[in-house]
Amino acid sequence: MRKLVLAISMLAFAGSAAFADPIQDRQALMKERGKLAGQLSKVVKGEEDFDAAAVLTTLKALQANAEKFDTEKLFPAGSDQGDTTAAPKIWEDMAGFKAAEDKFLTNAKEAVASPPGDVDGLKAQLNTLGGDCGACHQSYRVKKG
């Protein structure tokens, strides 16, 4: 009986994973990334005080976000249809898309490894990370509207 319950549980879990929505998953990940970048941007703009510990926490969260970005799971074939701004170029140039995401992850790791000591240091790091985002969006995102 115990083996049967375990087998049914595993099948239910596998089934739920198969029904995960990659479009919603990647949109949630990008919204989280944007929110984190926005928190850092407020510090750079002087809307919030520079707090080295809080900045490092946010940078670590950005790194964790980037580490969760699995292009194969988030951008499977057929997930270019529906409510998405993902450009067809993603599936035409998956290697380039992965390289762009890897660059962001590398720069996020570098920011965590060498956290900024002041607003100017954070501004430089945010410019690098924001540049990664902008370059990727320019090539691999369709503008709504």
Side-chain angles (χ1 to χ4, degrees):
M1 181 68 173
R2 194 167 154 203
K3 288 182 180 180
L4 178 62
V5 171
L6 182 60
I8 291 170
S9 297
M10 290 178 71
L11 283 173
F13 176 76
S16 67
F19 290 108
D21 184 342
I23 294 173
Q24 288 180 354
D25 292 347
R26 66 187 184 229
Q27 287 173 345
L29 206 57
M30 289 292 101
K31 284 180 185 177
E32 176 188 36
R33 187 175 293 185
K35 183 179 176 183
L36 293 167
Q39 290 171 357
L40 295 174
S41 181
K42 286 180 182 180
V43 175
V44 168
K45 292 177 182 177
E47 296 171 8
E48 292 185 10
D49 292 335
F50 180 85
D51 176 338
V55 165
L56 180 57
T57 297
T58 304
L59 289 171
K60 286 179 179 179
L62 266 177
Q63 178 181 332
N65 172 283
E67 288 171 341
K68 290 187 274 186
F69 200 92
D70 182 335
T71 54
E72 291 177 14
K73 288 182 182 175
L74 294 172
F75 296 88
S79 69
D80 57 336
Q81 304 298 312
D83 182 23
T84 182
T85 57
K89 186 174 179 184
I90 290 171
W91 292 270
E92 296 164 5
D93 180 24
M94 189 59 76
F97 182 62
K98 285 180 182 179
E101 182 57 32
D102 289 346
K103 186 174 187 282
F104 179 83
L105 175 57
T106 296
N107 287 330
K109 285 180 177 180
E110 288 175 4
V112 169
S114 299
D118 57 23
V119 173
D120 289 336
L122 175 59
K123 183 177 182 180
Q125 288 180 336
L126 193 57
N127 283 340
T128 298
L129 293 167
D132 293 342
C133 293
C136 189
H137 283 193
Q138 181 123 14
S139 297
Y140 299 107
R141 184 177 181 199
V142 175
K143 291 184 182 182
K144 284 188 175 180

